């Protein structure tokens, strides 16, 4: 049972792309969007940390008790928990990238056993992202803060893609390690 260096390199680049998308989902204020109908076009974008309106071209902190965003019970707490979940996912993702780099630079014997902790890190990095996605989806469906016509935007979709990709990478790396023959067997042929 061994995972080849090539498998770790491919996994590294796939996870690097996944990590960049996670950072984009965290930074861009495009989790939810409300667009007013024609003739007065105005777009309101809800991010994890700020709300931006196209009419004024300004952003403000969101959710904010000063602007009346926290009048609904538990809204601000759950929104901030979703933001904290994404920050945690970025931190764990950075540790995972570091672990992948260390694995690729290590000797073959250590590399053959590194699949288990790396698969675990992929899975652990997906959990806070899945929580954040679920929390925002719950608030989207239950909160009166969002008007009829509000929709998910690309940051929400990126988050969904990222945590699903992390889980798939975890499963695939585990399967490669379990199913593949030992490296010494590959060297004999």
């Amino acid at each position: 049972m061994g995972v080849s260096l090539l498998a770790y390199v491919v996994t590294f680049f796939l996870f690097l792309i996944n990590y960049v998308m996670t950072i984009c989902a965290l930074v861009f204020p495009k989790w939810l969007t409300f667009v007013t109908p024609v003739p007065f076009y105005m777009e309101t974008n809800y991010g994890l940390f700020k709300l931006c309106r196209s009419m004024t071209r300004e952003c403000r902190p969101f959710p904010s008790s000063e602007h009346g965003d926290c009048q609904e019970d538990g809204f601000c707490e759950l929104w901030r928990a979703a933001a904290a979940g994404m920050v945690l996912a970025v931190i764990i993702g950075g540790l995972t990238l570091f672990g992948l780099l260390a694995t690729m630079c290590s000797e073959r014997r250590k590399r053959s056993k590194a699949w288990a902790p790396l698969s675990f890190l992929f899975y652990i990095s997906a959990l806070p992202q899945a929580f954040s996605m679920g929390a925002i989806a719950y608030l989207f469906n239950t909160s009166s803060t969002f008007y009829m016509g509000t929709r998910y935007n690309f940051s929400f979709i990126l988050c969904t893609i990222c945590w699903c990709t992390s889980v798939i990478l975890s499963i695939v790396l585990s399967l490669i390690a379990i199913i593949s023959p030992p490296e010494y067997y590959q060297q004999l042929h």
Side-chain angles (χ1 to χ4, degrees):
M1 293 185 342
V3 179
S4 68
L5 180 60
L6 177 64
Y8 282 122
V9 170
V10 170
T11 303
F12 173 78
F13 284 110
L14 287 174
F15 191 75
L16 183 63
I17 293 167
N18 189 38
Y19 186 67
V20 169
M21 290 191 312
T22 301
I23 292 172
C24 289
L26 174 69
V27 173
F28 292 125
K30 298 265 188 174
W31 279 74
L32 300 173
T33 298
F34 174 71
V35 178
T36 56
V38 178
F40 303 107
Y41 178 81
M42 186 178 86
E43 187 174 309
T44 304
N45 293 306
Y46 297 90
L48 292 176
F49 302 104
K50 58 186 172 180
L51 177 138
C52 299
R53 296 184 196 262
S54 64
M55 186 175 226
T56 60
R57 297 180 193 254
E58 291 180 6
C59 297
R60 68 169 176 87
F62 181 82
S64 170
S65 55
E66 297 170 3
H67 293 95
D69 299 329
C70 298
Q71 292 175 351
E72 200 172 316
D73 272 351
F75 177 84
C76 285
E77 291 81 6
L78 194 53
W79 193 274
R80 288 183 184 127
M86 285 302 291
V87 170
L88 182 62
V90 167
I91 292 168
I92 295 171
L95 293 173
T96 305
L97 280 176
F98 180 74
L100 275 165
L101 279 173
T103 299
M104 290 187 304
C105 295
S106 66
E107 60 187 42
R108 184 183 310 152
R109 190 179 72 235
K110 289 182 181 178
R111 207 171 38 234
S112 68
K113 296 177 183 174
W115 66 269
L118 287 173
S119 292
F120 181 71
L121 280 172
F122 288 145
Y123 181 71
I124 292 299
S125 73
L127 288 178
Q129 291 178 358
F131 167 77
S132 296
M133 183 211 66
I136 298 297
Y138 173 77
L139 290 173
F140 171 75
N141 289 320
T142 60
S143 176
S144 61
T145 303
F146 307 113
Y147 303 107
M148 186 69 117
T150 302
R151 58 182 163 74
Y152 297 120
N153 209 335
F154 76 86
S155 291
F156 182 88
I157 295 166
L158 280 178
C159 176
T160 306
I161 291 169
C162 289
W163 77 260
C164 290
T165 304
S166 291
V167 169
I168 290 169
L169 281 173
S170 174
I171 292 168
V172 168
L173 190 62
S174 298
L175 286 175
I176 289 172
I178 292 169
I179 294 173
S180 67
E183 280 198 31
Y184 64 83
Y185 179 79
Q186 294 170 355
Q187 290 176 355
L188 293 176
H189 292 290

